[in-house]
Amino acid sequence: MASQAGSPIPPDVVSAFDYERHARARLPADVWAYISGAGADGITKRWNREAFDRLALSGRVLADMSGASTATELFGMPLDMPLIVAPAAFQMLVHPDGEGATVIGASAAKTWMTVSCQASVSLEEIAAASQTTLLFQLYMQQSRDDTLRLVRRAEAAGYKALMVTVDAPVNGVRNDEQRAGFRLPPHVRAVNLDGMPAPDSRAGPGESPVFKGLLDRAPSWADIEWLRSQTSLPLLLKGISHPDDAERAIACGVDGIVVSNHGGRTLDTLPARLDMLDRVAAQVQGRVPLIVDGGIRRGTDMLKALALGADAVMIGAPILHALAVGGAVGVLHLLTLLRAEFEVAMALTGCQRVGEITAEVVWRR
């Protein structure tokens, strides 16, 4: 999909990297620090991107590509291409319509969307505007009653799966945000959490603000087992990076795993997600689908992730960049660009179907 005359998309935007450049120029410095910032020194965030650049592809020629397709499925549901919009909070920071515009763009691109628990638009409003498959990203709340209230709302609104983020019981050290002095503006809030107590620290003088009050109310594996017993929706855990945690997740009855280091925004110097994927995939052995996020900017990145064992990928920051630049049209344009790049990558590596993207596609240098 090329940008057209009269479109809000600048004519020089032809890739995800271009959207990032334009978004940075348009957004206030503190907002940019929030959406692009990383934990501490940003080492993990940098590694996420570098891991894709280090991995080469093995080109193939004269392959029969008749009837080639990007279609696949997850949890028994058709997926037009193995790309899902990742949960990203507070999207009204970058566009007045926030998640409402994102879901219109994702629907037009026939791309699944994961709605953040901390969305700035209600999960019901997003569902009403959607013409695509929606997943709901859930943070376990301090009260199980509050958690279950969110689950029931998602079920009633037609969401097709729950994705529980498990790798951020406390926020990472966000130095970029601190330096920029980022604060949520009055018009942006996590509307789906209205009336629910925010996590806080009850530390007294001389006590740890992390260990006292925050972590003693953090979710545990018992909470995942409880949640599994409360809903029939497919249940995914987002933030798995260790093979042993993947094994325990499967024992808890989860239906899918998102291999993730939270975009490098929590614990800095965690391995790149592509490096994590190898180990987790070897442990899981196809028993549940694997999704990976982080650093994905090209269709070739999608191909590499699938070759290393992912069943699908998720993108978050590029969606925010496109939303900031072009609203719903920008989101559609970005997803269309990535689809075209993925199709080219499949064609030039001789993969007619998504299921043919195996480890043979990557060139181990």
Side-chain angles (χ1 to χ4, degrees):
M1 174 185 175
S3 54
Q4 304 294 322
S7 165
I9 305 166
D12 64 339
V13 172
V14 296
S15 75
F17 290 110
D18 294 325
Y19 271 115
E20 184 170 3
R21 171 171 51 87
H22 277 277
R24 183 168 192 169
R26 295 183 182 206
L27 291 172
D30 64 326
V31 173
W32 181 256
Y34 171 73
I35 70 168
S36 68
D41 301 307
I43 294 169
T44 293
K45 179 184 176 183
R46 185 177 74 247
W47 285 347
N48 280 343
R49 180 62 234 162
E50 291 174 350
F52 285 104
D53 293 338
R54 287 197 310 265
L55 194 63
L57 291 173
S58 183
R60 300 298 300 271
V61 300
L62 304 177
D64 178 9
M65 296 299 293
S66 57
S69 172
T70 62
T72 183
E73 69 171 39
L74 281 178
F75 317 117
M77 296 180 287
L79 190 61
D80 215 46
M81 65 172 168
L83 173 67
I84 301 169
V85 175
F90 307 124
Q91 294 183 24
M92 285 178 66
L93 284 170
V94 303
H95 189 276
D97 296 331
E99 293 83 358
T102 301
V103 76
I104 291 172
S107 295
K110 299 180 181 179
T111 302
W112 291 13
M113 176 176 170
T114 313
V115 174
S116 171
C117 189
Q118 296 178 315
S120 48
V121 176
S122 79
L123 65 91
E124 289 86 0
E125 289 179 75
I126 298 167
S130 174
Q131 296 183 36
T132 189
T133 298
L134 295 179
L135 295 74
F136 183 66
Q137 178 261 347
L138 177 69
Y139 282 106
M140 303 291 287
Q141 300 299 299
Q142 295 180 50
S143 159
R144 283 187 173 181
D145 287 343
D146 286 339
T147 297
L148 199 55
R149 191 172 298 116
L150 289 168
V151 171
R152 297 295 180 247
R153 286 174 61 189
E155 290 172 338
Y159 286 73
K160 300 301 184 184
L162 297 175
M163 183 182 293
V164 183
T165 294
V166 294
D167 64 345
V170 295
N171 284 333
V173 177
R174 306 273 182 84
N175 289 155
D176 288 342
E177 292 177 32
Q178 294 166 340
R179 295 184 187 106
F182 173 76
R183 295 290 185 275
L184 279 175
H187 71 286
V188 178
R189 71 182 196 282
V191 296
N192 294 300
L193 302 182
D194 284 351
M196 300 183 189
D200 65 341
S201 175
R202 299 176 183 175
E207 293 180 320
S208 165
V210 175
F211 292 157
K212 180 66 175 179
L214 290 174
L215 286 181
D216 61 10
R217 292 191 297 275
S220 67
W221 287 107
D223 293 297
I224 301 301
E225 292 172 349
W226 166 80
L227 181 61
R228 173 69 288 171
S229 73
Q230 297 298 311
T231 181
S232 61
L233 289 178
L235 182 63
L236 295 80
L237 296 192
K238 179 179 181 291
I240 299 295
S241 60
H242 197 286
D244 290 350
D245 285 340
E247 190 63 44
R248 187 153 188 184
I250 293 172
C252 286
V254 305
D255 301 284
I257 288 171
V258 182
V259 180
S260 175
N261 55 31
H262 216 98
R265 293 168 69 85
T266 52
L267 179 61
D268 199 19
T269 70
L270 283 173
R273 272 168 283 202
L274 209 59
D275 295 332
M276 295 173 172
L277 178 61
D278 253 348
R279 296 180 63 198
V280 174
Q283 180 70 36
V284 170
Q285 291 290 311
R287 286 175 288 167
V288 298
L290 296 181
I291 301 170
V292 68
D293 65 359
I296 294 161
R297 297 295 185 273
R298 290 283 188 182
T300 47
D301 300 335
M302 295 171 60
L303 192 84
K304 292 172 184 179
L306 268 61
L308 293 186
D311 295 279
V313 304
M314 293 200 307
I315 58 168
I319 293 292
L320 296 180
H321 302 155
L323 180 64
V325 174
V329 174
V331 172
L332 169 60
H333 182 233
L334 169 69
L335 293 170
T336 306
L337 289 174
L338 288 170
R339 177 194 288 274
E341 291 179 359
F342 183 55
E343 289 174 350
V344 169
M346 287 179 63
L348 297 182
T349 54
C351 298
Q352 188 185 59
R353 296 282 189 272
V354 168
E356 297 175 9
I357 303 171
T358 67
E360 298 298 318
V361 168
V362 295
W363 188 278
R364 300 288 188 175
R365 295 187 292 174

